Amino acid sequence: MRHLLLVTLFLSAAISFADEPTVKKVLYIGLDGTRFDAMEKAATPNLDALMKEGIYSDTCLILGDRYQKNDTVSGPGWSTILTGVWADKHGVHDNSFLGTHYKEFPHFFARLKEVRPDAKTASYVTWEPIHKFIVSAADETKNFEQKEHTTADYDRYDHEAAVAAVKMLKEGNPDALFFYVGQIDVAGHTNGFHPTVSQYIQAIERGDALVGDLVTAMKARATYEKEDWLVIVTSDHGGKGTGHGGGHKIPEILNSFLIVSGPSAQRGKFEKQVYLPDAPVTALAHLGVKAKEEWKLDGRVVGLK
Ligand SMILES: [Zn+2]
């Protein structure tokens, strides 16, 4: 009888543990100006592991079929990656940030909070305009970019951003966390965006190590076993020579990549065409937020099981 009671107690405990719903969370990573062919050449064990544990595209387009009038630079790119709409809607056509429509087409943190007001959001970047113009509805938002812009300076800023993101992952309870790496783009502008350019490759490798720091912190969370993290990684544009502006007909600039990784992600390589605005819409879907018709989002949910 005593045995039976113990077995019953054990079983009911096991069942109640299994019944607890997992908490869905998103780690959203942006690697500015990163070409996929250079990423393949570089030693990137952390990005490789994310691809293996998910689905990826090496031809994620940075311009839509409907609209292509914006420049192929960071302002419109990150606006699209963070709002889920193309430039005719968010209004950012270059890096001047004149004519923004972020009120009507806000950062996906705002959409998340519209549906789940208690959700926690955080953003750590090394490009000030993201912090200053694009981010909204963040519980914590920090920019680490300073005046000096050599690749070495930027490596320091990216490290500081990663340290802050890791601290939030360890000590906080974010539902959606955005982390941005800037030094790869800086190395591209300084030395060239190409798989044969060692400075560009090394910057990608340092960026990969920072991604590894965040993923390690995520997996070390005390509550990790009860969480279901989706990791999304993408870039705002590629590059050719030492630039990427005016790249409307240049495949090396137009093609970004997209990684959707984690237990809830599909496996393998995307067969259909994916686009930058698919990234935030997929993040929202994982977080239980179905896009409303009136939000007029251009992205679709891609790569989830
Ligand atoms: Zn950029």
Side-chain angles (χ1 to χ4, degrees):
M1 192 60 196
R2 195 189 171 91
H3 271 358
L4 189 60
L5 180 67
L6 280 176
V7 167
T8 311
L9 279 174
F10 174 77
L11 276 178
S12 62
I15 287 165
S16 73
F17 180 75
D19 278 354
E20 263 179 53
T22 54
V23 183
K24 297 196 182 255
K25 292 176 178 286
V26 169
L27 176 57
Y28 204 73
I29 299 174
L31 307 177
D32 201 307
T34 304
R35 275 174 58 158
F36 190 85
D37 57 355
M39 234 168 80
E40 277 186 308
K41 175 89 182 296
T44 54
N46 300 293
L47 291 163
D48 294 350
L50 289 173
M51 278 190 271
K52 212 176 141 202
E53 293 157 18
I55 183 164
Y56 74 96
S57 168
D58 56 1
T59 55
C60 176
L61 285 171
I62 70 162
L63 293 175
D65 299 327
R66 190 192 72 241
Y67 194 78
Q68 309 213 332
K69 286 184 186 160
N70 56 285
D71 201 358
T72 51
V73 295
S74 299
W78 293 111
S79 296
T80 294
I81 290 168
L82 294 167
T83 64
V85 297
W86 295 116
D88 56 340
K89 294 182 185 170
H90 61 58
V92 181
H93 283 77
D94 50 39
N95 288 341
S96 72
F97 286 85
L98 294 171
T100 62
H101 303 142
Y102 293 134
K103 258 207 162 75
E104 198 183 345
F105 298 100
H107 192 290
F108 77 93
F109 286 174
R111 295 310 190 191
L112 170 62
K113 291 208 175 197
E114 190 178 323
V115 176
R116 294 178 46 195
D118 295 336
K120 291 279 170 289
T121 57
S123 174
Y124 305 95
V125 306
T126 55
W127 194 50
E128 196 187 21
I130 295 177
H131 168 76
K132 197 171 157 188
F133 300 120
I134 310 178
V135 175
S136 64
D139 291 287
E140 179 163 89
T141 173
K142 288 187 173 173
N143 162 57
F144 295 86
E145 180 192 6
Q146 291 172 37
K147 280 204 307 277
E148 299 79 13
H149 276 190
T150 68
T151 306
D153 293 320
Y154 242 94
D155 181 37
R156 201 168 65 245
Y157 310 153
D158 287 340
H159 260 280
E160 289 168 4
V163 166
V166 162
K167 185 175 157 63
M168 174 54 84
L169 285 165
K170 276 187 179 163
E171 298 170 11
N173 195 22
D175 294 291
L177 186 148
F178 177 56
F179 170 64
Y180 164 101
V181 172
Q183 66 183 289
I184 301 163
D185 187 65
V186 174
H189 284 295
T190 310
N191 306 102
F193 293 84
H194 199 273
T196 60
V197 176
S198 62
Q199 294 94 334
Y200 185 58
I201 293 295
Q202 285 157 16
I204 291 173
E205 291 175 348
R206 288 191 299 269
D208 177 77
L210 298 179
V211 170
D213 290 347
L214 266 71
V215 170
T216 301
M218 174 189 88
K219 291 188 173 175
R221 288 170 57 76
T223 45
Y224 181 70
E225 292 304 322
K226 294 176 203 160
E227 296 170 350
D228 174 8
W229 283 85
L230 189 72
V231 183
I232 295 178
V233 192
T234 190
S235 183
D236 55 337
H237 51 73
K240 194 174 184 188
T242 54
H244 51 73
H248 300 74
K249 294 201 162 30
I250 303 172
E252 293 92 331
I253 294 170
L254 279 181
N255 287 294
S256 175
F257 66 91
L258 177 67
I259 302 171
V260 178
S261 180
S264 288
Q266 293 170 10
R267 295 292 182 270
K269 202 170 171 183
F270 281 106
E271 283 170 14
K272 63 178 178 185
Q273 181 65 57
V274 294
Y275 301 87
L276 287 189
D278 296 339
V281 177
T282 300
L284 285 169
H286 181 70
L287 292 164
V289 178
K290 193 174 176 297
K292 294 180 185 171
E293 195 75 25
E294 68 252 36
W295 294 351
K296 298 179 195 140
L297 299 185
D298 288 318
R300 300 156 308 159
V301 180
V302 297
L304 294 184
K305 278 179 182 165

